[in-house]
């Protein structure tokens, strides 16, 4: 099973600041990584797939990068609606696995 | 517009059974694989099971193998999760999710069904 480790667990930032979230895989997953956003009481929403492709309707302030074992989700300038929990997920091999999440909270 | 609506959640005793349903609309259900993903209270996401578009193959996380069965009825646009021998640690919100056009990611989700396993 591929283990995904996200860091930091919590990121305290102000609106307008840049957020950088990390996801590290226990073995190479090529570019087969997605990022999701989840707000309290809601289902997750797909943001990024295959490491760097924005899903339909996702604003350009969200970008993804990385390959192999190290991946990054960047939010260039935080909007109030971006404060949420973010998860990475790999599709390189079964079982599909998620990281433990990074909470982006208002400072 | 894709819609996924789960039903069938509830409270069940350890060792009991429950069947979740997910009714799909707004897309061609018969051409997409489908997943179940769960989230224990206050915890992260855990993928549970996947079924191919035609039901010809299934995958499960180890912790539910032999206890849970994913299935689908393409004539009814409905996905199922039969859960047997339920344990306390199966307590979670269960989401059905549609496979994306770019591989087995989850591009649309239902609102979730809460399953509580408790004596």
């Amino acid at each position: 099973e591929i283990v995904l480790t996200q860091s930091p667990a919590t990121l305290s930032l102000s609106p307008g600041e840049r957020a950088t979230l990390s996801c590290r895989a226990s073995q190479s997953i090529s570019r087969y990584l997605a990022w999701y956003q989840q707000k309290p009481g809601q289902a997750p929403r797909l943001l990024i797939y295959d490491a760097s492709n924005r899903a339909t309707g996702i604003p350009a302030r969200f970008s993804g990068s990385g390959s192999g074992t190290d991946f990054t989700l960047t939010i260039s300038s935080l909007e109030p609606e971006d404060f949420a929990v973010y998860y990475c997920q790999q599709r390189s091999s079964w079982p599909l696995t998620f990281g433990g999440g990074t909470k982006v909270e208002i400072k | 517009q894709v819609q996924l609506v789960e039903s069938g959640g509830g409270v069940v005793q350890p060792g009991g059974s429950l069947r979740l349903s997910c009714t799909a609309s707004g897309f061609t259900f018969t051409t997409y694989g489908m997943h179940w993903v769960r989230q224990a209270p206050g915890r992260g996401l855990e993928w549970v099971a996947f079924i191919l578009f035609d039901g010809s193959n299934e995958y499960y996380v180890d912790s539910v193998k032999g206890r849970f069965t994913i299935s689908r009825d393409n004539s009814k646009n409905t996905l199922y999760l039969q859960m047997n021998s339920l344990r306390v640690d199966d307590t979670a919100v269960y989401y059905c999710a549609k496979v994306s056009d770019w591989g087995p990611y989850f591009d649309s989700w239902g609102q979730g069904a809460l399953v509580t396993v408790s004596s």
Side-chain angles (χ1 to χ4, degrees):
Chain A
E1 172 178 318
I2 295 173
V3 176
L4 298 178
T5 303
Q6 291 189 241
S7 61
T10 304
L11 200 49
S12 299
L13 295 168
S14 301
E17 288 194 294
R18 182 184 189 92
T20 303
L21 289 66
S22 173
C23 178
R24 177 163 290 178
S26 60
Q27 63 190 76
S28 177
I29 57 172
S30 185
R31 293 178 59 82
Y32 297 137
L33 188 98
W35 290 93
Y36 300 83
Q37 175 194 67
Q38 188 179 32
K39 298 179 181 178
Q42 296 185 17
R45 177 174 70 145
L46 177 65
L47 300 175
I48 301 286
Y49 66 92
D50 287 349
S52 61
N53 298 291
R54 275 189 301 276
T56 304
I58 302 304
R61 64 181 182 272
F62 291 93
S63 64
S65 64
S67 65
T69 60
D70 290 302
F71 300 85
T72 300
L73 174 69
T74 301
I75 310 171
S76 59
S77 178
L78 283 164
E79 296 287 339
E81 61 269 28
D82 298 337
F83 291 92
V85 180
Y86 293 83
Y87 295 96
C88 56
Q89 175 246 328
Q90 64 82 21
R91 72 162 183 98
S92 175
S93 66
W94 302 96
L96 306 181
T97 51
F98 289 90
T102 290
K103 181 179 181 181
V104 179
E105 65 175 23
I106 300 177
K107 187 174 181 181
Chain B
Q1 179 184 353
V2 173
Q3 265 207 313
L4 299 169
V5 179
E6 299 95 341
S7 59
V11 181
V12 61
Q13 291 189 335
S17 297
L18 211 56
R19 188 178 83 157
L20 301 180
S21 300
C22 169
T23 303
S25 61
F27 67 103
T28 307
F29 183 72
T30 55
T31 63
Y32 284 92
M34 296 291 295
H35 297 275
W36 287 99
V37 178
R38 68 184 178 182
Q39 187 169 35
R43 304 296 295 271
L45 300 167
E46 180 182 39
W47 169 78
V48 173
F50 168 75
I51 188 167
L52 278 175
F53 68 99
D54 59 357
S56 62
N57 210 351
E58 305 152 26
Y59 296 87
Y60 298 91
V61 69
D62 281 351
S63 60
V64 308
K65 278 180 186 174
R67 301 189 300 123
F68 290 12
T69 303
I70 188 172
S71 62
R72 62 192 298 158
D73 186 338
N74 282 351
S75 70
K76 296 181 178 179
N77 281 7
T78 302
L79 175 73
Y80 302 100
L81 186 68
Q82 177 66 44
M83 302 182 292
N84 298 331
S85 302
L86 281 160
R87 309 189 300 219
V88 171
D89 62 357
D90 293 318
T91 295
V93 173
Y94 285 74
Y95 297 99
C96 65
K98 171 186 161 292
V99 162
S100 78
D101 289 328
W102 318 289
Y105 300 119
F106 319 95
D107 73 350
S108 299
W109 300 64
Q111 84 288 351
L114 177 61
V115 173
T116 302
V117 185
S118 173
S119 54

